Amino acid sequence: MSTSTSAPNSDRLIIAGKDYGSRLLVGTGKYKDMDETARAIEASGAEIVTIAVRRTNIGQNSDEPNILDVLPPDRYTILPNTAGCYDVDTAVRTCRLARELLDGHNLVKLEVLGDEKTLFPDVMATLKAAEILVKDGFEVMVYTNDDPIVARELEAIGCVAVMPLAAPIGSGLGIRNPLNILTIVENAKVPVLVDAGVGTASDAAEAMELGCDGVLMNTAIAAARNPILMASAMRKAIEAGREAFLAGRMPAKRFASASSPIEGLFF
């Protein structure tokens, strides 16, 4: 976790030794077309874009449009993910395919899902897949539940970032268990990024105010009535939440506290 008190313009997100100016990471699913995808990501200011390898063409199908044509890897850090994988072997194979398609690219987002209804992570399978991928030279950013013990184990395996859910994927429910997220943040030595469940700008700001190093989202932007405008709102919320965290909020109090002192009144 970053605890820097430097000015926001010099406060950078560092993942796997590379630094980024934006702490907002975005996905590419659910947009109406590639043009909207590209415009929303541009408006978000994101520098890391995650792509579901099993659902999106990044070169594995020459007969379909390649999303990398509108999201060039020389401009964005492409983060292939294993969305749609429900077992260890499929997740590992998907990461290896992505590395081959992206010329040796090792940064991946691992998710191994437990069932189709909740899309909660299968924690045991996630731990196994993470261990295999780390040993195979991958830099693993890992989607997990909001359990601080599991987060600790994933970090110990060697994952470069831990990504606890705020709420179920695509639910837009916001951060349901902020205390668990806070515990993960307080104990992590790698970046902690909220992944899944953010619905609107205030949710993103809350994650950053808890001290998270970043937020990854897709549906919150893509499913908005105006995705480009929502992407812009999310960009501002991430920046404001980070500044608030660095500034240090005032202590919460049960009773009122006058903004102006009573002593020294003129009448």
Side-chain angles (χ1 to χ4, degrees), residues 146-189:
D146 59 6
D147 184 334
I149 306 305
V150 174
R152 184 184 67 193
E153 291 303 309
L154 288 165
E155 181 178 336
I157 286 171
C159 295
V160 299
V162 176
M163 308 175 74
L165 56 81
I169 292 173
S171 68
L173 290 172
I175 299 176
R176 309 311 296 169
N177 199 338
L179 295 180
N180 273 22
I181 299 292
L182 181 61
T183 301
I184 293 171
V185 168
E186 288 176 339
N187 290 284
K189 294 180 177 63

Side-chain angles (χ1 to χ4, degrees), residues 7 27 29 61 66 85 120 181 185 195-196 203 207 211 228 242 253 256 264:
N61 188 341
N66 188 331
C85 294
F120 283 143
I181 299 292
V185 168
D195 179 14
D203 299 331
I228 287 79
R242 182 63 180 177
K253 299 178 181 179

